[in-house]
Amino acid sequence: MKNQFIAVFTGLLIIVGCSKSKNEKHASSTIKDSNGFTYEIVKDDPTGLRLYTLDNGLKVYLGKNTEEPKIQTLIAVRAGSKYDPADNTGLAHYLEHMFFKGTDKIGTQNFEKEKVFLNQISDLYEAHKKEKDTVKKREIYKKIDSVSLLASNISIANEYDKMVSSLGAEGTNAFTSNEKTVYVNKIPSNEIDKWLQLESERFKTLVLRLFHTELEAVYEEFNRGQDSDGRKQYFAVLEGLYPNHPYGTQSTIGKSEHLKNPSMKAIHNYFETYYVPNNMAVIMVGDLDFEETIKKVNNSFGDYKSKEVSHPTFPEEIPLVTPVKKEVYGPTAESVYVAFRTKGKGDKEEVMVTLIDYMLANSNAGLIDLNLNQKQMVQRASSFTNFNNDYGFHLLYGTPKQGQTLDEVRDLLLGQVEKIKKGEFEDWLLDAVVNDLRLSKIKSFEKSSSTAYEYLDAFIGFQDWNRRLSMLDEMKKITKEEVISFANELYADNYVEVHKIKGEDKHIVKVDNPGITPINLNRDKESNFLKEFNAVRSPDLTPKFVDYKSEINETKTKNGLKVSYIENPNNDIFNLNIIFDMGKDNDPMVSLAAGYLDYLGTNKYSPEELKQEFYKIGISYYVNTANDKTYVGISGLKENLNPGLELLEHLWENAVPDQETYNKYVDKILKGRQDSKTQKRNIFWNGLMSYSKYGEDSRLRDIYTMSELRAITPSELVEKIKKLKEYKQRVFYYGKDVDNAITSLDTNHAININELKDYPERKRYEEKETGGNVYFVDYDMVQSEILLLAKGAKFDAKKMAVSRLFNMYFGSGLSSIVFQEIRESKSLAYSAFSSYSNAREKGDSDYVMAYVGTQANKLPEAVDAMMELMTNMPEAEEQFNQAKEATLKKIAAERITKSNIFWTYESLKKRGFENDNREALYNAIKNMTLNDLKTFFNANIKGENYNVIVIGNKKDIDFNALKKLGDIKEMDIDEIFNFEKSAPIKG
């Protein structure tokens, strides 16, 4: 197989210019292709980027990756919340949402008639914004609501989503941050013409239709932010670092009062100012032809008119000279952030701060990793950097152990910075960090998506690509003395410290349900643009299915140990896994022992020295346990495979138990349990979900008690890991030179397979019947979340095809029935979905689920709307055909490659398959009709008996509405997880 990152030069290449960077290794050159388009390339660029600039200033980043017939696309605008007017914060983000609503050609039956209503709505919003009297504001809003209903008689919801979905696009979304708004799709490579046709039309004209319903969705997103302690803590850091700059004075989501008082005219002005070609980039990485693609992009976007763009500038921030301390409150576990302001992207500080960040925390051998995490001085600690155009920051964070204060955690974090300032680190660490980052880049550039986002980063930061590629070369030249000198200049008492404290947030904003009249979706209507779009036929893309028996090679070690292997066709990275087909369900102590092993040294190395030895040679090791599997393995560059495996086997054989380390490990487990029950997502998706499925006898609740943990000896755990080798095992190797891997296994992992033991019997957990139960947890939050969960029949392979198509049509994605009805029409939620979930193992049950996340005063309406959908499936023939086409195209574009071939086969075997089941799915879906979906719905969805799980603030929940769904049981969180109440953690 050819290397996936290649630059193909076809036709007559004429070098018309060459600009050399200071780093000759990555000199840039300007070339003209056979069609006359000029582009830049960079010498020794592993991504093979061609950077074109159209005559109107539009930047076009093209990269080639032929691993799968797909193209990762990003359309980027240098416009983010930094440029929001101070009296209209959240504007850039709201504009991003509106870009999915269509144009004067997309999403309308008659734009001239619709425009009359849209202009009225715009004028009403201006009046609403100016009006100060609350009663009069409500009256104006009622008029907005009534005119919006009239406008919706002419509009057609979700036409963009339908069209892009019909291409087989994946990951359709968009996001906004400080300096960018980015529109995302991953498309099959044969759909490039239709995608460009759609996006070219999309970016020409802004039409703010279905405005007030989408505004409610954005406000629900604002509520999600209020429920995120992490977001609040992060923004408090920004407020402290940038008190006079939009980075710190206004958030991307915006202020509540601005979201509730928008100006459609201001949004149009923003669009006209920044959404111009010389302020935009089209980024495409994947299976494409460079010269054909640039012609097509030019045909689609070349007629856009450029306009002078002047990005606002802001006063320079005054240096911080004393610590700035802030506190935020919320229900989650306590933590501390400590952040230092830096210069922005492209400054030489970016290189130095990135180096220091990895010297502090690289997940293996940084100072924070070894001195705080490895020694269990804190519950958890790390660091990260962020660089925007004007400024960046370096942030350290930590969570405390039981009985530890946030001030103590802060001092420990700052103590590691002091070690950098004093030069108390090994000389080799600098080279090891650079090598680690190079390895990360190799892995990153293997993937079209991560490569596209690297290009995006360069574009938004006004950075030359050769400069970005040269960063690690520049870092390599940095000396220890330079690190010490820089650290002493940057890191002083000039930090922002934010304590996340467990308690009630007094600044939460709650609003009334505005009582929106459901708009008309008109899903049976089509614009002329959509009709013409659907009439265009793309070249066929033939699906490719995997013959696992031929793709997965097999050999044996000298002692007969089975080794499955797949060659890495792209680079020298390898993964070697020793697999035991036993896991937590077979022996829960193996999981406990695997976690303990991470804190141990050997008779030769201390725990810290061992981590350093692995990091020096760029090898990561792991001992992981799943429910039914245990994996012991290493990964890195193949040149270091043998020393890496030798080091792993040394640890395996010679780990030294330590009682003090084990005591801290138990303390960490118990504190982790206490912290985990403060996390809303963990309570809802793990705790309540498991309890609803299994009741009290669940895998989640089957845990060691505190006294049981204390009674276990460290020696028992070490012996458990050592004796793991005595069980049946097999090996999977992904990489080059399998013979070298076999030789290393023969040398370092000598196993007598004739003496290997069978696995302990696996414990099974019985799934309970669902229906009639409402499990509720009281949690301090603005939104509420609800999930309907019904146990279905045992796994049946014959249902996989129809359920996949059903999910596409009915419950998942922006163009699904559920999303349209709950969010687009009724504006009852930011997030809503439904799915039929096939069991992962043969013999287990399928499940039906439906989810809504919304503010509590909308919950009864949202539940009623969802229950109606789960009882009576709306039937829309055209929407079904689009969902069917999208599903087939997605399967056709799917490629299972590299190590995924092995791991996918492992998953298939659990369901009883020995071949690639996608071929059967594809052929079955081709012949399906809407009536097949209706039959499936009636047999598997309609009339199901649901357990209902709910999390929300007890003061805001309408329990009378919940009673209609079943018997309400308010759950104790300790009961859900089987944690001991108020158990002292310290041993």
Side-chain angles (χ1 to χ4, degrees), residues 34 48 63 299 301 309 362 844 982:
S34 60
N299 290 338
F301 289 95
V309 177
N362 51 57
D844 287 349
S982 305

Side-chain angles (χ1 to χ4, degrees), residues 166-226:
S166 74
L167 302 181
E170 302 170 4
T172 301
N173 212 329
F175 62 91
T176 306
S177 60
N178 287 311
E179 288 148 341
K180 61 179 174 282
T181 305
V182 185
Y183 300 85
V184 184
N185 277 296
K186 194 169 190 178
I187 61 169
S189 54
N190 64 322
E191 298 289 356
I192 186 172
D193 292 340
K194 293 184 73 173
W195 176 78
L196 284 169
Q197 176 191 357
L198 179 58
E199 297 296 354
S200 174
E201 169 59 27
R202 182 191 193 190
F203 281 85
K204 278 179 181 173
T205 311
L206 175 67
V207 173
L208 301 180
R209 65 168 55 88
L210 308 179
F211 187 84
H212 80 318
T213 52
E214 191 62 27
L215 183 62
E216 278 304 298
V218 172
Y219 203 86
E220 288 295 347
E221 190 175 356
F222 174 83
N223 284 337
R224 289 164 74 94
Q226 291 194 102

Side-chain angles (χ1 to χ4, degrees), residues 147 160 164-165 201 256 270 299 309 333 342 351 398 420 429 459 469 482 550 623 651 754 804 886 922 929 949 955:
V147 178
Y160 171 83
V164 79
S165 177
E201 169 59 27
S256 173
Y270 193 98
N299 290 338
V309 177
T342 71
V351 179
I420 298 285
L429 184 57
F459 169 71
L469 290 177
E482 288 173 325
S550 63
V623 182
L651 170 61
N754 296 319
R804 180 162 179 169
Y922 187 83
T929 65
I949 62 177
K955 296 181 292 185

Side-chain angles (χ1 to χ4, degrees), residues 456-676:
L456 171 68
D457 199 41
F459 169 71
I460 297 300
F462 298 87
Q463 298 291 297
D464 292 333
W465 183 239
N466 60 356
R467 172 76 176 87
R468 303 310 292 176
L469 290 177
S470 300
M471 279 185 63
L472 294 183
D473 297 321
E474 295 174 26
M475 192 180 290
K476 182 76 172 176
K477 298 173 184 176
I478 296 173
T479 66
K480 183 173 183 177
E481 290 71 25
E482 288 173 325
V483 170
I484 295 169
S485 175
F486 176 83
N488 279 281
E489 291 177 10
L490 179 65
Y491 303 99
D493 287 337
N494 54 341
Y495 58 83
V496 174
E497 173 187 346
V498 181
H499 288 201
K500 160 65 214 14
I501 298 173
K502 194 174 179 182
E504 183 182 356
D505 185 349
K506 303 289 187 182
H507 303 289
I508 291 294
V509 179
K510 293 187 178 182
V511 295
D512 294 332
N513 182 344
I516 289 175
T517 304
I519 60 168
N520 295 309
L521 297 171
N522 298 317
R523 62 166 61 96
D524 59 332
K525 307 295 184 182
E526 292 182 343
S527 66
N528 290 330
F529 186 95
L530 185 144
K531 292 175 183 176
E532 293 169 5
F533 183 86
N534 287 341
V536 176
R537 307 311 302 172
S538 298
D540 289 335
L541 182 62
T542 304
K544 288 188 178 181
F545 305 113
V546 178
D547 181 350
Y548 291 104
K549 298 293 172 59
S550 63
E551 291 289 339
I552 302 172
N553 305 292
E554 291 188 0
T555 186
K556 291 182 179 180
T557 65
K558 188 185 300 181
N559 291 335
L561 186 63
K562 178 183 171 182
V563 178
S564 303
Y565 69 93
I566 296 173
E567 184 170 341
N568 180 349
N570 301 316
N571 51 53
D572 288 338
I573 294 174
F574 79 90
N575 288 278
L576 188 148
N577 293 270
I578 302 168
I579 304 170
F580 300 86
D581 292 297
M582 59 175 283
K584 294 180 236 181
D585 290 351
N586 305 81
D587 186 348
M589 190 176 284
V590 173
S591 176
L592 186 69
Y596 179 51
L597 183 68
D598 198 43
Y599 297 100
L600 297 182
T602 68
N603 54 3
K604 183 178 178 181
Y605 301 108
S606 71
E608 295 73 36
E609 288 170 343
L610 187 68
K611 288 291 176 68
Q612 289 173 326
E613 290 301 312
F614 275 109
Y615 196 66
K616 284 178 186 178
I617 58 175
I619 293 290
S620 298
Y621 78 92
Y622 45 87
V623 182
N624 297 329
T625 53
N627 295 332
D628 63 340
K629 297 282 190 294
T630 298
Y631 305 95
V632 181
I634 56 172
S635 65
L637 292 174
K638 74 177 180 68
E639 65 194 57
N640 294 320
L641 187 155
N642 190 66
L645 185 56
E646 182 180 359
L647 198 56
L648 175 64
E649 293 285 344
H650 168 72
L651 170 61
W652 205 344
E653 287 290 340
N654 300 286
V656 176
D658 182 86
Q659 186 65 52
E660 182 182 359
T661 299
Y662 180 66
N663 292 342
K664 290 181 179 179
Y665 177 55
V666 172
D667 290 344
K668 190 181 186 74
I669 290 171
L670 297 175
K671 177 60 161 54
R673 291 177 181 178
Q674 297 302 312
D675 289 352
S676 70

